[in-house]
Amino acid sequence: MRNLIIVILFFIVLSTHSQESKKSTLEFHFGRAKHGTGDIDGFLYGVQYQQAFGKKIYWVGGFEGTFHDAPNGDSLFFEYEGETFDSTIRFVTAGMQLVAGIKYNFLENKNHTFGIYALPLLRYQATSINDIIDTLYPIITDVPVPVRIIINEEPSRTLSFGGALRFNYNYTFNKGLYLGVLAGFQTDTNGDTMLNAGLTFGKRFNF
């Protein structure tokens, strides 16, 4: 019963703050991201809606996507019957995620905002990265071309929970339109980590 009362009071306070401030933003972002599994460079992109519920504090909800691709670093070219073949394995990891959390602006005025995001997330990811890759050459196998041995111990598709921590600076021009930069870090229960940095653009309402 005590916990129920605390929850009710919490939502009453949030409701009161929401009535005091109708400030909100719609924001798009795009940038570079480095996936920790395989150290693969790629991209992060997304859209977020932010709604104030207190002074300089905002609810945040959004949808994001990531895309990473690279050779696995073990390039393999071989010749067979006068032709050259590329047998390099190429890795691709892509995902989409729902984020929902809070943002606090240390600085917030007519032109400048600087804040921090704390964003729990739900992530779906698909990857072509293999757990074990070995190459056997003709000197061992007596086969005229190299032989790849690939073993997968983990699923290629995963659904995981995680969290992101990001910093963001925006400069607002006329009519509430703004440009900015962001940088952050995220991790999840699948053991994946990601560093990202990029640009933001959006619009502020009722400031």
Side-chain angles (χ1 to χ4, degrees), residues 22-28 47-52 58-61 103 105 108 113 117 168 170 172 176 178 201-207:
K22 300 296 184 182
K23 295 186 297 183
S24 62
T25 65
L26 180 64
E27 179 176 292
F28 300 88
V47 59
Q48 291 180 356
Y49 177 75
Q50 304 169 12
Q51 173 68 58
Y58 294 78
W59 289 119
V60 180
K103 179 187 181 185
N105 285 330
E108 181 180 287
T113 61
Y117 297 83
N168 171 237
N170 295 320
T172 303
Y178 66 81
F201 58 97
K203 180 172 176 56
R204 303 165 73 181
F205 301 94
N206 298 319
F207 275 79

Side-chain angles (χ1 to χ4, degrees), residues 2 61 64 93 98 111 128 140 147 167:
R2 178 183 176 184
E64 299 177 341
T93 298
L98 296 174
N111 296 112
S128 69
I140 298 174
V147 176
F167 292 92

Side-chain angles (χ1 to χ4, degrees), residues 55-179:
K55 188 176 182 181
K56 300 182 180 180
I57 305 176
Y58 294 78
W59 289 119
V60 180
F63 175 81
E64 299 177 341
T66 61
F67 181 85
H68 304 80
D69 70 305
N72 75 337
D74 181 18
S75 298
L76 177 60
F77 294 84
F78 66 90
E79 291 187 4
Y80 180 66
E81 294 184 347
E83 293 188 51
T84 300
F85 296 90
D86 181 0
S87 187
T88 302
I89 295 177
R90 296 179 175 89
F91 288 154
V92 176
T93 298
M96 54 186 180
Q97 57 195 38
L98 296 174
V99 298
I102 60 172
K103 179 187 181 185
Y104 175 75
N105 285 330
F106 302 104
L107 170 67
E108 181 180 287
N109 57 37
K110 181 180 178 181
N111 296 112
H112 305 277
T113 61
F114 173 70
I116 183 172
Y117 297 83
L119 300 172
L121 59 89
L122 175 66
R123 177 175 175 81
Y124 169 82
Q125 179 174 280
T127 181
S128 69
I129 296 178
N130 310 111
D131 297 302
I132 299 173
I133 300 174
D134 198 6
T135 305
L136 302 181
Y137 292 91
I139 194 171
I140 298 174
T141 64
D142 266 345
V143 177
V145 297
V147 176
R148 291 282 199 187
I149 297 176
I150 297 174
I151 299 175
N152 294 311
E153 299 175 334
E154 302 292 335
S156 62
R157 297 174 178 172
T158 56
L159 186 65
S160 58
F161 294 96
L165 189 66
R166 296 176 188 161
F167 292 92
N168 171 237
Y169 168 77
N170 295 320
Y171 180 82
T172 303
F173 299 90
N174 293 330
K175 299 181 179 180
L177 298 175
Y178 66 81
L179 291 173

